[in-house]
Amino acid sequence: MKAPSIKSVFATGLLLGCTAIAVPAQAQAAEKPGDHCVANLSTGSNECFGTFRESIAFATNGQVTDAPLTARAAVADRTLKAKLEGPQTAEASRAVAYVLSIEYQLSGYGGASLGITANTPCVRDGQRDFTVNDIRDINPWWNDRISSFDGYNTCDVNHYEHQVVNGGDTTGPRASMSSMGAMDNKTTGLTFG
């Protein structure tokens, strides 16, 4: 017999008048991430969507609403890349989050995607601008699932096999990789600079 899901146990508990036990948000997020997620490092928000287009609209606070439906098509779209390189006006810069990178589940920029945003872009000064010590803190499903990525807003992204503080293998800071070779499906930590 198949074990009941957390959702069905919760619903059964409500129907029978039982006290439901709250499941931590991290455990709920690990159950199913959605196909295309966006994590904002400045606010701590993490939202998932059914299409790549929806995730990009959310990541840019509605400034970019015409992204391709699939992640793989987006990489070849030069117009989209230019739009994701930051707001074009001072007014837009107050309303939009900066896309730091888009991480992909499959090599060749395919499969599910995780857009990582922040309220400021990277600065080309040789310093780390943002650190995700452990990706499980922003979206547990993505641990050891990244196979390609594309950086934006002057961000070079370094992928770490373990938490950033624990080291291990890295990709080294790169603007983009269509295949991560030995680091394929091994990322736990990331830095942006």
Side-chain angles (χ1 to χ4, degrees), residues 82-99:
K83 289 178 182 178
L84 294 181
E85 287 296 338
Q88 304 300 312
T89 66
E91 182 179 312
S93 70
R94 288 188 293 276
V96 71
Y98 291 86
V99 175

Side-chain angles (χ1 to χ4, degrees), residues 101 103-104 107 128 145-151 155-164 167-193:
S101 75
E103 309 292 322
Y104 298 94
S107 292
R128 285 185 188 164
R145 293 192 193 240
I146 297 170
S147 297
S148 57
F149 71 94
D150 205 10
C155 291
D156 285 333
V157 188
N158 195 352
H159 294 73
Y160 294 76
E161 178 181 13
H162 306 299
Q163 294 176 341
V164 172
D169 288 338
T170 72
T171 58
R174 310 272 175 133
S176 182
M177 292 181 80
S178 65
S179 176
M180 295 177 60
M183 279 293 294
D184 188 37
N185 293 321
K186 289 187 176 179
T187 298
T188 296
L190 302 103
T191 57
F192 302 83

Side-chain angles (χ1 to χ4, degrees), residues 33-46:
D35 292 330
H36 304 283
C37 300
V38 178
N40 186 303
L41 302 183
S42 300
T43 65
S45 71
N46 179 32

Side-chain angles (χ1 to χ4, degrees), residues 19-20 23 26 31 36 47 49 51 55 57 71 86-87 95 98 109 121 127 129 147 164-165 170 173 176:
T19 303
V23 177
Q26 187 174 25
E31 192 174 321
H36 304 283
E47 300 286 332
F49 304 89
T51 68
S55 73
Y98 291 86
Y109 313 105
Q127 303 295 315
D129 295 300
S147 297
V164 172
V165 296
T170 72
S176 182

Side-chain angles (χ1 to χ4, degrees), residues 25-49 55 58-59 113-117 132 134-143:
Q26 187 174 25
Q28 291 175 2
E31 192 174 321
K32 183 176 186 314
D35 292 330
H36 304 283
C37 300
V38 178
N40 186 303
L41 302 183
S42 300
T43 65
S45 71
N46 179 32
E47 300 286 332
C48 296
F49 304 89
S55 73
F58 179 81
S113 67
L114 173 64
I116 299 178
T117 65
V132 176
D134 191 326
I135 201 164
R136 292 171 287 204
D137 293 337
I138 61 172
N139 191 315
W141 187 86
W142 279 93
N143 187 54

